[in-house]
Amino acid sequence: MTTQEEFDLWIRRLGTTDHPKARLICFPHAGGSANFYFRFARAFTDLDVYGVQYPGRQDRRREPFRNSIPELADEIAGHLAEWNDLPVVLLGNSMGALVAFEVAFRLESLGNPPLSLFACGRVAPTLRKDEGTHLKGQDAFLREMELLGGMGHELLQDDEILDLVLPPMRADYRLAETYRAAPGTRISAPIHVHIGKADPKVNEPEADQWRLSTTGEFTLDAHDGGHFFFTDNAERLVAAVDHCVENAESLSR
């Protein structure tokens, strides 16, 4: 049984409403933290929004990194397994999309399936895309970060900040680049994939392969922008999540 203290360590409240229709659980990208989604969470008026805080960063920086995405998903699913008083939607960006998929698979196995999964900025779980980024030297690794746009140029020049963010980022890249879903791993929940048209890490054919990971509905939507398109261009993604919840609510009446 998960204690409240353990739950709060992993699952951080980002936004709340008086009468929520569902909960949205957001999974960060490699090196990211729960509060990456703080501004995004403010766009929802009918959902309680939470972010997952992985070990090894910010207030959890003294904790060891996990060795694989399945190991990470085991722990997260264990904390969410009995949280069933409201429908749950999972949303992940980049590496977070893979973690969210594995969590969805575990929640279904535990009899508490999510309403749907929104996967952003990542190739399908059936495709292993190991570019060896986690093995690169610091200069090459930093060029990769600047290419994706997840950190401003000024931050990448700050040695104190780099000392904090590089270890979890490199550890997460290792998890993402060595991950591939076990053969036949599928969920029944709908998968809605959203990518940036200028994302250097995923194209539409790679994103389309997510359809093989669900027996339910599948959609693919491409937005203006790059790897982190929804930091400045979130309207359509927010509307898609809201529509998913509204549609499920109307079917249950």
Side-chain angles (χ1 to χ4, degrees), residues 136-152:
K136 292 180 179 178
Q138 180 163 306
D139 289 345
F141 194 82
L142 291 179
R143 284 195 294 272
E144 178 80 10
M145 299 305 99
E146 196 156 17
L147 172 68
L148 294 182
M151 295 178 64

Side-chain angles (χ1 to χ4, degrees), residues 178-197:
T178 58
Y179 167 84
R180 189 172 182 178
T185 303
R186 292 181 181 85
I187 61 174
S188 60
I191 294 180
H192 305 290
V193 177
H194 292 256
I195 62 171
K197 295 176 183 177

Side-chain angles (χ1 to χ4, degrees), residues 25-207:
I25 314 295
C26 299
F27 295 75
H29 55 281
S33 60
N35 62 14
F36 170 79
Y37 288 102
F38 182 73
R39 189 173 71 165
F40 180 67
R42 295 171 63 186
F44 295 94
T45 58
D46 295 320
L47 306 182
D48 281 351
V49 184
Y50 297 81
V52 177
Q53 186 79 331
Y54 308 138
R57 67 217 64 216
Q58 294 188 331
D59 59 330
R60 302 189 68 184
R61 63 185 178 276
R62 298 188 187 282
E63 296 181 48
F65 303 116
R66 300 313 190 249
N67 293 315
S68 69
I69 284 179
E71 180 185 357
L72 196 58
D74 283 342
E75 294 187 69
I76 298 168
H79 293 300
L80 297 176
E82 298 180 9
W83 211 17
N84 56 11
D85 57 316
L86 284 173
V88 169
V89 176
L90 306 183
L91 183 149
N93 183 56
S94 196
M95 182 192 85
L98 302 178
V99 181
F101 171 71
E102 290 285 346
V103 169
F105 179 75
R106 284 156 176 74
L107 291 178
E108 288 195 353
S109 300
L110 293 168
N112 188 21
L115 193 61
S116 61
L117 166 65
F118 284 80
C120 303
R122 184 68 198 184
V123 302
T126 52
L127 302 176
R128 180 171 175 178
K129 194 167 188 177
D130 184 359
E131 298 172 319
T133 303
H134 66 288
L135 299 174
K136 292 180 179 178
Q138 180 163 306
D139 289 345
F141 194 82
L142 291 179
R143 284 195 294 272
E144 178 80 10
M145 299 305 99
E146 196 156 17
L147 172 68
L148 294 182
M151 295 178 64
H153 178 78
E154 295 79 9
L155 294 180
L156 293 174
Q157 311 306 311
D158 189 315
D159 289 339
E160 289 187 9
I161 291 178
L162 290 179
D163 286 343
L164 292 174
V165 302
L166 282 184
M169 197 171 290
R170 194 180 290 277
D172 287 353
Y173 260 79
R174 178 179 63 82
L175 298 192
E177 292 188 322
T178 58
Y179 167 84
R180 189 172 182 178
T185 303
R186 292 181 181 85
I187 61 174
S188 60
I191 294 180
H192 305 290
V193 177
H194 292 256
I195 62 171
K197 295 176 183 177
D199 191 338
K201 290 300 180 182
V202 55
N203 57 41
E204 290 197 35
E206 291 171 329

Side-chain angles (χ1 to χ4, degrees), residues 210-247:
W210 275 93
R211 70 172 62 247
L212 302 178
S213 296
T214 179
T215 58
E217 180 188 4
F218 171 82
T219 63
L220 172 59
D221 198 355
H223 304 249
D224 292 335
H227 194 62
F228 297 98
F229 70 89
F230 64 88
T231 57
D232 297 310
N233 185 25
E235 292 83 359
R236 282 168 51 203
L237 178 57
V238 170
V241 174
D242 281 337
H243 176 74
C244 164
V245 173
E246 291 285 351
N247 188 53

